[in-house]
Amino acid sequence: MRPFAYVKPADVAAAVQAVATEPGAKFLGGGTNLVDLMREGIERPDTVVDVSSLPLDTVDELPDGGLRIGALVRNSALAADRRVLARYPLLSQALLAGASAQLRNMATVGGNLLQRTRCPYFYDAAAACNKREPGAGCDALGGFNRGSAILGVSESCIATHPSDMCVALAALDAVVEARSVRGTRRIPLADFHLLPGDTPEVETALTPDELITAVELPALPVAARSRYRKVRDRASYAFALVSVAAALEVRDGTVTEVRLALGGVASKPWRAWEAERALLGAPATEAEFRRAAEAELAPATVRPANAFKANLARATIVAVLRELEAA
């Protein structure tokens, strides 16, 4: 690991000022991803700004009945929060599906939002990776790509986003709050993560000097009837091949409200807008669920090794919607 300066600011204002005045600085929360990347030489900050002690670790009520989740709330604490369990069960389920209990005890909400891909070529310094080294190429295109993305891909990158939590947040219309010396801004989660295009190294809408301070969840009654399902190679400590976060409301046999997001299939948490449009106002039947899943996966770009993901995603969408309809 290369040498770096270490700063531990006393408050949020000092934290954003430190990053604004130190080029090449990075914020450190729980460190479950950043420290690993520093050890591998992928992240090389000149300065590490430790924000782990800042007062951003509470879950608070919003006037509309939603929740404001501090960026330093630990994944394990959020998963166990009674308000989350009652109002947004898919979020708790997603958090518990990710990593080990020890990692969940350290990992923060803000850090989870900024997780970088687990593509093996990203971690292999001998491999070509545009995300790690812009302009180098992408060895995954013609290499081992069983776990690679099938939606929103480009000729520059087919890496997947690894987070479970972010898939649930995408379905819940979450909003990310970020602070810099210029002030505070709010970024809808649907716009927070970026598709690779020609610049896969630019992964989020954040600027380098912005600190995530909170995530807000709107009051969303349909979310009380929700599920998160993760399909993976083994039952523990594995990243998703496909995951589905869904919330569904059915009245008189008709879908009146639906939220749907996918994981393991794109370089960002994938909000399934096409499937939602197909389902809204449709009969809550398996045939309609299947039709909506087909619409969402129609633009998939598959390769021989990951072509199974399209069928797996369709089947998982249908299964989760059937389970919610029957509940």
Side-chain angles (χ1 to χ4, degrees), residues 254-315:
T254 298
V255 176
T256 55
E257 194 166 0
V258 60
R259 298 289 189 281
L260 195 63
L262 308 178
V265 295
S267 291
K268 62 180 286 184
W270 187 265
R271 182 67 180 264
W273 299 110
E274 287 300 322
E276 289 184 11
R277 279 191 281 269
L279 285 168
L280 195 59
T285 64
E286 182 172 342
E288 291 298 323
F289 298 158
R290 194 168 303 282
R291 184 174 68 87
E294 292 284 353
E296 192 62 47
L297 274 297
T301 300
V302 302
R303 288 163 175 80
N306 71 359
F308 74 95
K309 281 195 173 189
N311 288 331
L312 184 59
R314 293 184 191 101

Side-chain angles (χ1 to χ4, degrees), residues 150-240:
I150 61 173
L151 293 171
V153 299
S154 74
E155 287 303 306
S156 296
C157 182
I158 56 172
T160 54
H161 192 271
S163 174
D164 293 291
M165 180 197 79
C166 291
V167 181
L169 293 181
L172 293 172
D173 296 330
V175 175
V176 180
E177 181 185 275
R179 172 98 172 263
S180 72
V181 293
R182 298 177 302 282
T184 299
R185 67 173 177 141
R186 294 164 56 80
I187 309 166
L189 193 94
D191 302 325
F192 182 81
H193 297 98
L194 306 178
L195 292 176
D198 296 327
T199 56
E201 74 280 7
V202 182
E203 298 174 348
T204 75
L206 283 182
T207 56
D209 62 343
E210 285 184 304
L211 172 67
I212 297 172
T213 50
V215 173
E216 291 189 358
L217 298 179
L220 202 62
V222 69
R225 190 186 182 95
S226 62
R227 297 284 189 279
Y228 181 78
R229 181 174 294 186
K230 180 177 181 178
V231 183
R232 43 190 162 174
D233 283 326
R234 59 182 188 273
S236 63
Y237 316 150
F239 294 99

Side-chain angles (χ1 to χ4, degrees), residues 20-83:
T21 56
E22 297 288 344
K26 289 278 186 180
F27 292 117
L28 174 71
T32 58
N33 192 206
L34 178 61
V35 172
D36 283 347
L37 293 171
M38 290 172 65
R39 287 171 177 159
E40 296 290 337
I42 297 169
E43 293 279 10
R44 301 176 181 179
D46 296 315
T47 302
V48 170
V49 179
D50 185 350
V51 297
S52 61
S53 297
L54 298 183
L56 302 172
D57 59 350
T58 61
V59 180
D60 301 307
E61 296 279 351
L62 291 173
D64 69 351
L67 292 177
R68 176 183 170 85
I69 303 164
L72 292 174
V73 172
R74 305 291 173 169
N75 285 183
S76 54
L78 186 60
D81 188 285
R82 286 177 291 179
R83 293 162 295 181

